[in-house]
Each structure stands twice: as structure tokens, then as C-alpha cells.
């Protein structure tokens, strides 16, 4: 301790700053400015993040809202018995022999009459009037007639989907200039459209078919919907839920409650945390090689998609389940063991029920992740074809080829017609709607059942 | 060791360094400190004693505005150092804390080298113009904290690798290095073993030559050993403030007596 | 259909076993359950499991092995030469399709079972008959393919019969064994709990099996690829030009370059923004601000990557072109199309911001408050405390977070598939389109694959590369972060 009492003689004794506390000295001012700058960096960083988020949301809503409305043209179509039901007995099977080709002239004629009756002068030849309507118009009329044979013989008003160019004109995507080099519609068509709109025969309406309908071919973006791929996603989520929840919970219980501390447990732990960070595309490769190449399961089937997503979601579920189990205090286990319960009984009767809200929250978040995942689905073939029919039956929903919501969005984004971009954004709104609902449920669960020990 | 003889136990009043009047502290809705008046002398060791939760640490943290870092904490009344109100709007807490250093309950060296731990304060306050200046400050501070001989050969080793007592002395060196006028110590020995405690206590007695030292302690023996003045806090009130000898031999308030005789606490 | 019936029968058997086991135990205790070692239900479960578990195991094994055996014997009928891979698959799928068609024909009553068995190519065009029941067969059916199909049907039928018989025998035998064990001193609970424990362990090993599965599916196909294509071209080639006719150049270097370039841009965006956001949230923001900003950033993290991909393709790309393109308002003419390294990098950076910020936030919060107090007590400002105490203390953890972010960036697929372009290029210009390892995996494996061409198999080699790189990054990051956490626990 000899050095303790020599401070006053030490040359390095710092000169204390004896200034008044009420006056900020120059150095402190400088330091405070540095402080302000640093703080500003933080605020800037957060603002940039928030601006990105706002831009993203703005472009999703701005570009996607249009997909939920569609332009319809009201046409009064005469449905003559002699062409549609030559036998005259209103028998559906006989009527269905008249294909859409039989309906096309009727629509054509009705449109021409409508245009004539409104006194619209146009240079568009009568044969080209049909381009105003969706190529699916005839099918739409035919389906209606087949469902209501009594309509035959009457003149019925149909709200028929306008073609995607006309719809684009209503949504400011298409202009007269852009139509100059377009083979589907001419600028002169738009004059007719203007007249129809002014007289109230053409208008944008809410389009339920986008949510419930099936995908359409490249040339008919106006009738494409996301409903079928929603079923695909639903089937996959069922598979994920039914497999990953029990397996994930069982694995977590083992690791958290039973596993001895040894190399094998370590190996499992390292594996799980690594799998959580493996790129999703690698799971796609695994699915392709294991389920399709090796196990010969059908390509594009939601079952395969669900299996791949299960493997991908498992680490997430295991990690959150373990956290939930860990948060149950040891005193609960001790209490159960103390009255003579076996270790299994302590875990299954006491710890697991208490951890259940946390486990469910984690599972929902894992499912939400799986629902939005796209990359692995590309490899197992859930893109590149048109999901145009609802699966007929439960086993078909799992085994026959289908798309899934994110895969359908990707598919639309890759198509050439810009009208599909609107569909893609619209699909994103629906997808995000699902994700948001799931996350809100998770948050509510957590709030509602959160226990503080 | 003959230098130690110079240091006498003085209980005569020096100049007033810190003067607190009508201090009230609130944590949210909790009234933690109730109307405390106290005057702390320069070049003296003042001990705050009292049962846990009595507000002694809270009051200590008001003296260098460490409570500012807690959002829900609100301080009323006036605390003046050298006659200047430290809660005045013009006062920059940063400047204040350079003047009023602090040592914490648990040794908290930064995860840096011993040298960088001590040099941290001088660096941020710009006390050294050259590397040589800084070296001198570091050495002087470590000497003053009675640590130099133990660490002079490993100044670049991490401060977290020292023993508990050494770590606490490193923290004292770190506080001393900014050349404060007041040194606040919040139960500095509570995490230390008896030998390390003795070393730190000896050190506190030496520091009194240069600084006004305020120490919070839960140990009455420690207060009796190191302090000249003692303040007894109970339930947020300052019950009694007097010379240490007076407090321990002839307490005026029955609560103080109960506490030092071990009936409450 | 018979498999699901078999499973139902097994479950029913297990139910009966449960009941029998339970009542036998009660009987042996003279109806007083206090005389039993375990609760009566445990005796029931014990017998049920004894019946169910071996039966299901045998069922699964049989299910896995039977198709292989049948395939082998059937293929030898169709052709004498050694077929591999794609050709074999084609033949087999033909055989299977005809067999299924025959099944369909029988179930619809178009032909009888014996007709199907004795059918020969001479009878009538099989193609026609089968298409009547909805089976389309590609080429004209050859004699031995038809024979093989008939053989396939026969073998499948016999196999299924044998499987059913064996599984049922095992189930009943198991139940009987379980019942014999049952008496009042038998430790049924222990035996049931052992089975439960085994199930738990099995579930835990799924993670290992997944990793092994990934490794195998990558390695086997990669070896196959290197047998068809020189490894030197793959590893060191500087051109990427797959041709369907063969003779492709499949050099990985331009893909790796694109991957790293895009990832670096992404990290340059994400790390500063994410880190400063985290610092602000952890050290400055009031609890109220924190409770709004933190979820807002987490929203960014919950958005699927397909959304970011679309954002890159349709919003950010055109926006950048309008600034840096030939007619852009900056008049620079640097960018020819919306798909470019900068587009993908920027959007990927946005995607990674919440990832970096939430990881860093955790890590910064793990630095003990006493460190900050120590620094404030010496008169340091907040920013000095952050820069000189908190960040150095948190540095290892943050480094781990950045490594994890890098691994994410390298493995990200949808953003680059939609935003980066398709051209493999070695260039320094960030405004040019380039492509990445992940984008090419998608490109080579989408659609119908011939798993015998180097052009498809190269995707597995790319996958192996990707897996190895991200594995190294992940393991390093996890190691660092774990060490860091332990330091403050």
C-alpha cells in the first residue's frame, strides 16, 4: 500500500476542471453535438426502415386493390330455343351439346344491337365488337343457361366480364396511345366503351370471382382467380399442422424434459438450430429428391408440398415449444413428482397443459411462415401449370396437382400481360390478409393466456 | 506506511460540499424519498445507513443524477454542489458526473483491458493531450486505488479477469481517473470477501484526503470504521444525521437506536 | 384402398386389446385396482401397444420394400439390357399406367378380371380399350410391356395379400403376448412409458434425419453430375451456358459472383440501418415509441419473400430505371432494365433490416445494465457509452447476427429469381442483370426434369455448394452467438 499515499506528488495527477456546472464548457458542447448526431443516425435508420415499409404497403395496396374490382358490360342477350335447345325439352345433357361456339354469335349479335340502339357511331367492324368482352363470355352465358334452362326463349340481361384491355382502360392501365400497336383492341373500341360507360352499361364492380375463382389461361387475365390455389395452400397447411405439431411437441418434450446431456443430444440441438437457418430452397431440393425422385410421390401434389414445409417448419416449432416448456417453473414439476407422479405424468399432466398457449402461438407463427414460403414449391412443381379446377374430393385435394397461393402469385408475376401484375398484387393482399389474421390470433393467444410466474 | 499517520480521524466540519434541501423522489407512484435535508462536508467520508429499501441508494443516485437514466423517476427539491443547483436546467448531467464520480455495488469493469478501463474517463472528458499524459493518469489512478503494484505488468489484460476485490479497486481507479470532487460509493464492498473489503475500506480512508466521499453501506461496522458523518435512513425519511461517533454511541432518535442495536432492519 | 382398411382393422384390434388387457388386469387384482402396480388403463395401453407397434412397423417396412422388388422383377421382363435412371423410369411408368388402366377397366366392368389377366396385344388395340377408361398410353403397347403390366398386377395383388396376412398375424400375436404378460404385479406403467419415451426420441431424431436426407439427396445427385460433367468446368469455369442438346458450359463462378455481389449490397443496406435502428430502440426510444416501432419492423420480417420479389420486379426495378435508366431523370443511362444486381440487393437489404435489428436488439439488451451505469457514472454521454462500451461488448454477438444475415442473403431465392435477372455474368457494374446460385437452381429444376442430364443434375451441385456455404456461416454464427450469450448468463 505504499503507493497509496503518494498521489499529490504524482505528475500525472489530472487537472480537475473547476468550471461552474451552470456553464456548459466547449468540450461538453462538442460532445453533446456528437450525441445529437448519433441520435439522428438512429432516427434516420428507423425512418428509412419505416419508409421502406410504407412504400411496400403502398405499392401492394395501390397496385393490388384493383384486382378486387372488374369491369362488367351489361348486354341483353336473346336466348333462342332453336339454337340452344333444338329438342325443346330443356334436358341439361342434351343442351350441353351446344358448345360455347353456339353461344358466341348470340353474344356478338346482342352487343351489336346494344351499340346500334345507343346510336354509337364507330368505325369498328361489327365482327370485332366481341373483343370488348372477355374470351370467356360465351362460357359464362352457357353456364348460366345450363343452370337455368327456363331462361331459354327470353332476352336476358347479362353482366359480362369485359376484356382485360377494356378493364385496363377503366383502371388507367391502358390508354389510346398504348393501344395503337395492340392486336387485341383498337383505340376506336375505347370510344364505344366511353359511350357504354356514360350510358351506364359498363362499370367496375366488386369481383368475387377473383377470391373464389380458378386460374385462367394466359389470354384471359380478367377471369383469373386465386380460389383454387387457396385450397392447395389449405391442404398443405393441414399436412403441416397434423405432422409438425405432434412431432415438434414430442421432440421438444424429449429435449427439454428427458434428454440426458450427451453428444447425441448436442448433435440434435446443433441440427435443429442449423436447420432453422438452412435456405428454404435446399428443402425444395430435399423434397424433389426424397419425395418425388425416390418415393415416387406425384409432382405438384399439396401432400408433397406439405411434407416439405413440415420439415422446414419443424425447427421453428421446436424452438418456440422448448421456450414455452422452459418457462414453466421447475416447482410445478417438483410438486407433481412430490406426490408420486412419474416423470411422464408430471410432464403430460402438468407441464404440457401449462405450456400449451405458448406452443400454439409458436405453431401458428410457424404455419404463417410456411404459408408464405415459395421457393421450395417451385422445385416440387407447384408452378408452371394452370390451376383451373377445384379438386374433386378430399384425397384429390392432397394428391392431385395444385398450386398454392404464393406459387400462384409467382406464376402471375411471370406472365407477360401486365394485367396479371394487378392479379399478383391482389393475391398478395389476400395472402397478407391470411398471415395477418394468423399473427393476430397468435398475439391474442399470447396476451390472453400469458402467465407470469 | 508512516504516511497513514497523517490522516487523522477528524469530525470537525469542513466546508459544505453538497447541500440537499427538501428532496423528494418518486418512482412512478411510489414515494421513495420524503423531504430529505442533508449537508455533506468536503474531504469527509459520509455514510448512509439504514435497512434495505430505505432509500439510501436512491438518494445517493440523486447526487450525480444517475436517476435520470430511469424513465419513471422524478426528483423534487434542490441539491446543490458548491452552491450550484445540479437539477438546474443549464446543468449538463455529463459534466456533473465528471465532477461526481460513482462506484457501484457490483464491480462492473468494462470488457476491455485494465488500461482502457482506467483511460476511459480521461478519454471521453479530454483530460489528456498526449499518450504520455494518459499513461501518467492511468498510473496515478491505479496507484491511488492501490492496484498499481498488482497490475502494472499486465495493463493490457482484460479487466474482467481480475479478482472481485481487484475489480472493485479497478472501478475506483476508473472513477478517480476523471478527477472528480465527490466520490459516491453504493455498497462498494457488498460483493467482496473480508480481505478485499478491508483493502477497499483502507483505500476509502485515503481517498478522503482529496475527495468528499459518500458511501452507502448495509454494514454498521463498516460505517463506523470508515466514516466521519453518518446519516440514518428509514422508510424514505432521513431519521438522523450526525457525527458517526454520536450516532453509534448516543443516538437521538429511538428508531436509530433500534436499528443499531439490531431491533429493526 | 386395402391399405387404409388394413390400418382401420389394426386400430380396431388395438382397441379390443386395450379392453382385454384392462379387464384381465382388473381380474387378476380381484376387481380392486389398489392391488395393481399401475393404473388399469396402463395395462390396456400396454396390450394395445404390443399389438399395434410391431404390426405397424412390419406394415411400413413391407410398404417400402415391395415396390422395389416388383420393379426389379418386372423390368427384367421388359428388357434385357441394363436400364438406368430416366429410361427405366419411363418404362416403369408405362407399365404402371397400363396396370392402373386395367384396374380401372375392371372396376368399371369394361372387362373381367380373368380377361385382363389373359389379355394379349393381339386381341384388340389395348390403347383404345384403355383410353375408354381414361388411361392414355403414349406409344403403341408392346407385347412384353403388356405382359409386364399383367405381372405387375399379379405381383402387387399377391404382395398385398401376403402383407395383410402377415400384419394381422403379428398384431394378434402381439396382443396375445401382451395379455400373457398382464398380471397384477406387472409394471405396465413402466413399459408404456418406455414406449412413449421411444416415440419422443424418434421425434427428436427427425431433425437429424432431415439433415441426413438433405446431405444424401445432394451428395448422390452431385456425384452423378460429376460423372457426367467435368468437375473442373463446374468449379473453375467462368461461363454459364446450359444447352438442352448437351455440351453446356456449367461454370459456377459467375453465379457465385452474382450471389456474393447481391448479398454484399444487401448487407450494406441492412447492417447499418438494422444496427442503428436496434441501437436507437434499445438505448434511446421511449417505451411508447418502442412499442410502436418494434412491431412495425417486425411486420417487415413477417412478409413472405415472394412479396419482396414482386416489390423488386414491379416497384423498385422500374423506379431505379426511371432514375438511372436511359431516359431517367438523372440522365445517366446506366441501367438497361429493371432486373439488376442493385435492385435485388436493395430489396434484399430491406428484407434483412428487421432480421439484423431484432437480433442486434436482443444482443444489445443482453449487455448488462451495470456496464452502462458504470459508463454514465463516469460522465459519458449515451452515444459514448454505446460506441465505447456497449458495442464493443456486444461485438461478437453482432458479428454472429451479421453472419446469419449473410447466410440468409446467400440462400434467398424469390427476390433474385424475380429481381436480379437471368444472365450469368462476371461484371462489376451493379446496374447490370446478374444471376445467383439459387436462381439457377430454380431455373434448372423447374418443370419436368430428366434426372440424367447434366443440365438438371447441376442444380444439385449448386445446391451442395449453397448448403456448404450457408452451413459454414450458420455454424460459425451459432457458435459465436452461443459463446456470447454464455458470457452474460
Amino acid at each position: 500500500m505504499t503507493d497509496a499515499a503518494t498521489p499529490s506528488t504524482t505528475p500525472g495527477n489530472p487537472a480537475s476542471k473547476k468550471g461552474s456546472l451552470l456553464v456548459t464548457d466547449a468540450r461538453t458542447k462538442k460532445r453533446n453535438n456528437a450525441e445529437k448526431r448519433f441520435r439522428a443516425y438512429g432516427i434516420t435508420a428507423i425512418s428509412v426502415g419505416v419508409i421502406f415499409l410504407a412504400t411496400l404497403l403502398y405499392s401492394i395496396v395501390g397496385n393490388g386493390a384493383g384486382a378486387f374490382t372488374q369491369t362488367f358490360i351489361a348486354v341483353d342477350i336473346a336466348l333462342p330455343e332453336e339454337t340452344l335447345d333444338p329438342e325443346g325439352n330443356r334436358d341439361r345433357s342434351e343442351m350441353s351439346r351446344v358448345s360455347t361456339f353456339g353461344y358466341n354469335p348470340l353474344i356478338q349479335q346482342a352487343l351489336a344491337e346494344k351499340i346500334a340502339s345507343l346510336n354509337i357511331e364507330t368505325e369498328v367492324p361489327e365482327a370485332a365488337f366481341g373483343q370488348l368482352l372477355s374470351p370467356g363470355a360465351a362460357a359464362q352465358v352457357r353456364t348460366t343457361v345450363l343452370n337455368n334452362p327456363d331462361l331459354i326463349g327470353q332476352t336476358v340481361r347479362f353482366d359480362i366480364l369485359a376484356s382485360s384491355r377494356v378493364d385496363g382502360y377503366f383502371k388507367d392501365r391502358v390508354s389510346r396511345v398504348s393501344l395503337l400497336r395492340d392486336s387485341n383492341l383498337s383505340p376506336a373500341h375505347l370510344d364505344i366503351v366511353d359511350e357504354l360507360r356514360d350510358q351506364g352499361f359498363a362499370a367496375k364492380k366488386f369481383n368475387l370471382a377473383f377470391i373464389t375463382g380458378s386460374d385462367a389461361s394466359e389470354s384471359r387475365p380478367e377471369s383469373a382467380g386465386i380460389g383454387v390455389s387457396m385450397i392447395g395452400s389449405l391442404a398443405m397447411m393441414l399436412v403441416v399442422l397434423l405432422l409438425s405439431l405432434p412431432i415438434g411437441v414430442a421432440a421438444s418434450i424429449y429435449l427439454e424434459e428427458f434428454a440426458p446431456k450427451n453428444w447425441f443430444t448436442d448433435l440434435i440441438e446443433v441440427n435443429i438450430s442449423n436447420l432453422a437457418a438452412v435456405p428454404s430452397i435446399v428443402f425444395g431440393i430435399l423434397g424433389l429428391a426424397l419425395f418425388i425422385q425416390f418415393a415416387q410421390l406425384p409432382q405438384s401434389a399439396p401432400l408433397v408440398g406439405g411434407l416439405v414445409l413440415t420439415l422446414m417448419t419443424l425447427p421453428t416449432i421446436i424452438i418456440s415449444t422448448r421456450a414455452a416448456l422452459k418457462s414453466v417453473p421447475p416447482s410445478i414439476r417438483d410438486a407433481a413428482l412430490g406426490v408420486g407422479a412419474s416423470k411422464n405424468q408430471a410432464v403430460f399432466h402438468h407441464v404440457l397443459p401449462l405450456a400449451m398457449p405458448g406452443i400454439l402461438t409458436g405453431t401458428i407463427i410457424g404455419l404463417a411462415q410456411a404459408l408464405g414460403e415459395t421457393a421450395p414449391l417451385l422445385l416440387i412443381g407447384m408452378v408452371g401449370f394452370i390451376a383451373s379446377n377445384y379438386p374433386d374430393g378430399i384425397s384429390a385435394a392432397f394428391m392431385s396437382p395444385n398450386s398454392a397461393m404464393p406459387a400462384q402469385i409467382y406464376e402471375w408475376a411471370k406472365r407477360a400481360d401486365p394485367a396479371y401484375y394487378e392479379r399478383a398484387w391482389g393475391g398478395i393482399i389476400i395472402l397478407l390478409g391470411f398471415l395477418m389474421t394468423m399473427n393476430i390470433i397468435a398475439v391474442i393467444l399470447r396476451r390472453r393466456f400469458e402467465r407470469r410466474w | 506506511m508512516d504516511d497513514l499517520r497523517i490522516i487523522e480521524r477528524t469530525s470537525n466540519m469542513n466546508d459544505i460540499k453538497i447541500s440537499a434541501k427538501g428532496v423528494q423522489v418518486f418512482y412512478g407512484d411510489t414515494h421513495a424519498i420524503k423531504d430529505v435535508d442533508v449537508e455533506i462536508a468536503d474531504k469527509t467520508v459520509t455514510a448512509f445507513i439504514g435497512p434495505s429499501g430505505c432509500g439510501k441508494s436512491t438518494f445517493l443516485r440523486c447526487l450525480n443524477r444517475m436517476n435520470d437514466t430511469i424513465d419513471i423517476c422524478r426528483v423534487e427539491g434542490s441539491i446543490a454542489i458548491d452552491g450550484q443547483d445540479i437539477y438546474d436546467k443549464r446543468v449538463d448531467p455529463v459534466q456533473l458526473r465528471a465532477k461526481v464520480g460513482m462506484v457501484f455495488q457490483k464491480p462492473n469493469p468494462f470488457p476491455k483491458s485494465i488500461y482502457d478501463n482506467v483511460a476511459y474517463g480521461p478519454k471521453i472528458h479530454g483530460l489528456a493531450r498526449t499518450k504520455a499524459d494518459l499513461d501518467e493518469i492511468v498510473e496515478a489512478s491505479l496507484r491511488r486505488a492501490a492496484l498499481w503494484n498488482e497490475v502494472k505488468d499486465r495493463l493490457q489484460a482484460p479487466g474482467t479477469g481480475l479478482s472481485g476485490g481487484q475489480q472493485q479497486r479497478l472501478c475506483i481507479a476508473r472513477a478517480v481517473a476523471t478527477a472528480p470532487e465527490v466520490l459516491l460509493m453504493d455498497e462498494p464492498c457488498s460483493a467482496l470477501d473480508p480481505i478485499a473489503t478491508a483493502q477497499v475500506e483502507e483505500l476509502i480512508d485515503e481517498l478522503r484526503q482529496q475527495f468528499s466521499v459518500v458511501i452507502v453501506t448495509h454494514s454498521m461496522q463498516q460505517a463506523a470504521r470508515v466514516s466521519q458523518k453518518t446519516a440514518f435512513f428509514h422508510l424514505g425519511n432521513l431519521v438522523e444525521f450526525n457525527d458517526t461517533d454520536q450516532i453509534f454511541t448516543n443516538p437521538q432518535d429511538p428508531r436509530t437506536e433500534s436499528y443499531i442495536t439490531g431491533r429493526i432492519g | 384402398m386395402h391399405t387404409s382398411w388394413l390400418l382401420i382393422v389394426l386400430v380396431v384390434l388395438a382397441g379390443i386389446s386395450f379392453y382385454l388387457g384392462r379387464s384381465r388386469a382388473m381380474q387378476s387384482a380381484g376387481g380392486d385396482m389398489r392391488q395393481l402396480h399401475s393404473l388399469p388403463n396402463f395395462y390396456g395401453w400396454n396390450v394395445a401397444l404390443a399389438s399395434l407397434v410391431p404390426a405397424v412397423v412390419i406394415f411400413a417396412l413391407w410398404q417400402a420394400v415391395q415396390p422395389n422388388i416388383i420393379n426389379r422383377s418386372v423390368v427384367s421382363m421388359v428388357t434385357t439390357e441394363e436400364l438406368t435412371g430416366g429410361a427405366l423410369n419411363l418404362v416403369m411408368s408405362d407399365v404402371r399406367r397400363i396396370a392402373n388402366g386395367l384396374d380401372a377397366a375392371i372396376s368399371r366392368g369394361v372387362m373381367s378380371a380373368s380377361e385382363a389377366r389373359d389379355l394379349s396385344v393381339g386381341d384388340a388395340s389395348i390403347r383404345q380399350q384403355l383410353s375408354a377408361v381414361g388411361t392414355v398410353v403414349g406409344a403403341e403397347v408392346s407385347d412384353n410391356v403388356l405382359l409386364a403390366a399383367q405381372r405387375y398386377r399379379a405381383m402387387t395383388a399377391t404382395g398385398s395379400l401376403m402383407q395383410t396376412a402377415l400384419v394381422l398375424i403379428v398384431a394378434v400375436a402381439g396382443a396375445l403376448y401382451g395379455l400373457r404378460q398382464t398380471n397384477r404385479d406387472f409394471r405396465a406403467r413402466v413399459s408404456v412409458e418406455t414406449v412413449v419415451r421411444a416415440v419422443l426420441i424418434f421425434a427428436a431424431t427427425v431433425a437429424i434425419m432431415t439433415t441426413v436426407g438433405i446431405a444424401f439427396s445432394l451428395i448422390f445427385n452431385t456425384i452423378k453430375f460429376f460423372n457426367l460433367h467435368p468437375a473442373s468446368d463446374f468449379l473453375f469455369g467462368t461461363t454459364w451456358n446450359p444447352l438442352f442438346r448437351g455440351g453446356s458450359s456449367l461454370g459456377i463462378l459467375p453465379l457465385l459472383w452474382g450471389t456474393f455481389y447481391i448479398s454484399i449490397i444487401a448487407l450494406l443496406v441492412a447492417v447499418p440501418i438494422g444496427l442503428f435502428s436496434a441501437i436507437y430502440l434499445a438505448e434511446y426510444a421511449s417505451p411508447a415509441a418502442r412499442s410502436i416501432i418494434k412491431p412495425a419492423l417486425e411486420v417487415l420480417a413477417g412478409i413472405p419473400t415472394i412479396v419482396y420479389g414482386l416489390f423488386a420486379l414491379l416497384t423498385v426495378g422500374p423506379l431505379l430505371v426511371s432514375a438511372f435508366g436511359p431516359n431517367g431523370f438523372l440522365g445517366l443511362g446506366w441501367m438497361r432494365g429493371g432486373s439488376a444486381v442493385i435492385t435485388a440487393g436493395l430489396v434484399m437489404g430491406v428484407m434483412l433490416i428487421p432480421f439484423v435489428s431484432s437480433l442486434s436488439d436482443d444482443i444489445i439488451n443482453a449487455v448488462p445494465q451495470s456496464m452502462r451505469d458504470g459508463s454514465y457514472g463516469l460522465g459519458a454521454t449515451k452515444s459514448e457509452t454505446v460506441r465505447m462500451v456497449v458495442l464493443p461488448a456486444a461485438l461478437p454477438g453482432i458479428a454472429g447476427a451479421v453472419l446469419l444475415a449473410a447466410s440468409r442473403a446467400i440462400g434467398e431465392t424469390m427476390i433474385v429469381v424475380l429481381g436480379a435477372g437471368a444472365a450469368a455474368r462476371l461484371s462489376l457494374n451493379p446496374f447490370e442483370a446478374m444471376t445467383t446460385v439459387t436462381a439457377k437452381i430454380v431455373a434448372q429444376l423447374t418443370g419436368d426434369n430428366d434426372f440424367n442430364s447434366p443440365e438438371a443434375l447441376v442444380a444439385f451441385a449448386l445446391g451442395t455448394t449453397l448448403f456448404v456455404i450457408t452451413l459454414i456461416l450458420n455454424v460459425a454464427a451459432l457458435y459465436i452467438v452461443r459463446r456470447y450469450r454464455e458470457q452474460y448468463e
Side-chain angles (χ1 to χ4, degrees), chain A residues 117-138:
Chain A
S117 72
L118 296 175
N119 295 321
I120 302 172
E121 301 262 324
T122 177
E123 63 203 53
V124 179
E126 209 178 294
F129 284 164
Q131 290 169 359
L132 290 172
L133 301 177
S134 160

Side-chain angles (χ1 to χ4, degrees), chain B residues 13-19 39-42 82-83:
Chain B
M13 293 293 281
N14 290 313
D15 305 333
I16 299 299
K17 187 72 185 172
I18 303 175
S19 134
E39 288 189 331
I40 291 164
D42 201 5
D82 293 335

Side-chain angles (χ1 to χ4, degrees), chain B:
Chain B
M1 281 295 172
D2 20 0
D3 292 333
L4 285 177
R5 265 180 286 123
I6 307 167
I7 306 157
E8 300 169 61
R9 294 219 153 214
T10 50
S11 53
N12 54 320
M13 293 293 281
N14 290 313
D15 305 333
I16 299 299
K17 187 72 185 172
I18 303 175
S19 134
K21 285 197 181 66
V23 177
Q24 318 256 7
V25 181
F26 302 88
Y27 279 112
D29 294 331
T30 319
H31 198 170
I33 297 283
K34 294 161 193 161
D35 200 21
V36 167
D37 293 323
V38 74
E39 288 189 331
I40 291 164
D42 201 5
K43 310 240 189 302
T44 312
V45 177
T46 306
F48 291 174
I49 60 169
S52 345
C54 66
K56 51 192 194 300
S57 285
T58 304
F59 185 69
L60 187 78
R61 291 168 69 95
C62 290
L63 299 182
N64 70 344
R65 292 182 60 176
M66 276 301 278
N67 285 332
D68 288 17
T69 56
I70 299 165
D71 291 313
I72 55 164
C73 183
R74 190 157 50 86
V75 179
E76 285 172 13
S78 85
I79 299 174
I81 292 183
D82 293 335
Q84 292 173 327
D85 184 0
I86 63 169
Y87 280 90
D88 191 290
K89 275 201 190 71
R90 285 169 294 175
V91 172
D92 192 321
V94 163
Q95 235 172 309
L96 169 70
R97 289 178 200 145
K99 211 168 181 159
V100 184
M102 186 154 188
V103 176
F104 297 85
Q105 188 169 357
K106 238 181 94 191
N108 57 351
F110 302 133
K112 297 166 176 277
S113 69
I114 294 171
Y115 181 95
D116 286 338
N117 260 286
V118 180
Y120 179 73
K123 265 189 201 155
I124 57 176
H125 293 293
L127 300 182
R129 270 157 304 174
T130 62
K131 177 80 170 69
D133 275 2
L134 195 60
D135 289 348
E136 281 175 31
I137 295 176
V138 170
E139 182 178 343
S141 309
L142 284 169
R143 278 185 189 283
R144 194 166 305 159
L147 192 61
W148 175 253
N149 287 337
E150 290 160 61
V151 300
K152 65 183 174 201
D153 301 324
R154 44 170 176 153
L155 289 175
Q156 295 309 319
T160 44
L162 296 173
S163 73
Q166 288 174 322
Q167 286 192 10
Q168 193 62 302
R169 279 180 283 148
L170 176 63
C171 291
I172 292 172
R174 191 174 69 184
V176 167
T178 58
E181 295 166 27
V182 180
L183 206 53
L184 309 177
M185 297 186 159
D186 189 356
E187 303 194 19
C189 302
S190 66
L192 304 184
D193 61 60
I195 295 173
T197 301
Q199 286 172 328
V200 171
E201 282 179 7
E202 203 173 335
L203 179 58
I204 291 169
D205 209 33
E206 283 149 14
L207 292 170
R208 178 163 69 95
Q209 292 180 91
Q210 291 217 317
F211 311 106
S212 165
V213 178
V214 184
I215 176 170
V216 164
T217 173
H218 59 271
S219 146
M220 283 174 285
Q221 291 78 1
Q222 186 172 57
R225 281 196 298 266
V226 300
S227 71
Q228 288 77 53
K229 306 278 277 182
T230 295
F232 172 63
F233 283 81
H234 187 238
L235 299 176
N237 294 302
L238 176 60
V239 175
E240 194 169 346
F241 178 49
N242 211 333
D243 288 350
T244 303
D245 301 344
Q246 283 293 314
I247 292 263
F248 284 100
T249 55
N250 187 17
Q252 303 298 306
D253 194 287
R255 285 172 291 176
T256 316
E257 198 188 347
S258 309
Y259 181 69
I260 59 174
T261 54
R263 262 177 289 158
I264 56 171

Side-chain angles (χ1 to χ4, degrees), chain C residues 66-315:
Chain C
Q66 176 178 318
N68 263 325
I69 294 177
I70 294 182
N71 277 6
R72 205 161 299 157
S73 86
V74 164
V75 165
S76 65
M77 290 180 62
V78 178
T79 168
T80 47
E81 49 190 305
E82 278 292 309
L83 285 179
T84 50
L88 183 86
N89 279 341
L90 275 177
V91 171
M92 270 321 292
S93 71
D94 242 7
V95 168
R96 231 171 318 192
R97 209 153 26 184
I98 295 173
N100 287 341
L102 290 174
D103 285 339
I106 294 166
S107 72
R108 293 224 199 151
V110 176
M111 53 177 101
S112 73
S114 56
E115 270 173 5
R117 199 164 49 239
D118 305 332
L119 201 66
S120 70
V121 187
D123 290 352
S125 174
I126 298 194
R127 208 169 149 187
Q128 238 164 23
Q129 278 184 314
L130 289 184
S131 68
V133 290
T135 308
V136 182
V137 178
E140 198 58 46
V141 181
S142 76
D143 226 348
N144 38 6
V145 170
L146 178 64
L147 278 174
Q150 286 163 334
R151 174 81 184 275
Y152 178 86
R153 284 193 61 228
M155 283 186 75
T156 314
T158 339
S160 298
L161 198 67
M162 283 163 65
Q163 181 191 26
T164 310
L166 183 64
V167 165
L168 289 179
I169 290 169
V170 168
V172 172
L176 291 177
Y177 174 73
L179 281 173
R180 256 197 59 183
Q181 275 185 319
T182 306
N183 64 59
R184 63 187 226 187
D185 294 325
F186 178 64
R187 303 182 166 214
R189 200 198 70 234
V190 177
S191 118
V192 171
E193 286 184 352
T194 311
V195 175
V196 171
R197 192 77 54 94
V199 171
L200 296 184
I201 294 179
F202 174 77
T205 51
V206 168
I208 293 181
M209 291 190 289
T210 308
T211 307
V212 171
I214 289 175
F216 273 88
S217 50
L218 288 173
I219 290 170
F220 281 133
N221 285 304
T222 303
I223 291 173
K224 233 159 127 189
F225 168 70
F226 283 135
N227 285 338
L228 294 169
H229 196 87
S232 58
D233 177 56
F234 175 72
L235 293 174
F236 307 111
T238 53
T239 47
W240 174 269
N241 186 22
L243 302 166
F244 283 107
R245 302 178 298 278
S248 320
S249 333
L250 300 169
I252 195 177
L253 292 182
L255 307 185
L256 279 181
W257 169 242
T259 306
F260 287 125
Y261 202 177
I262 291 173
S263 305
I264 286 166
I265 292 182
L267 291 179
L268 285 179
V269 173
V271 171
I273 295 181
L275 193 54
F276 270 104
S277 305
I279 290 172
Y280 187 84
L281 285 177
E283 305 285 337
Y284 288 96
S286 66
R290 199 178 147 87
S291 71
I292 297 173
I293 299 169
K294 218 172 147 48
L297 284 178
E298 275 163 10
V299 167
L300 275 177
I303 292 175
T305 54
I306 175 78
V307 180
Y308 286 104
L310 210 63
F311 187 53
L313 176 71
L314 299 179
T315 306

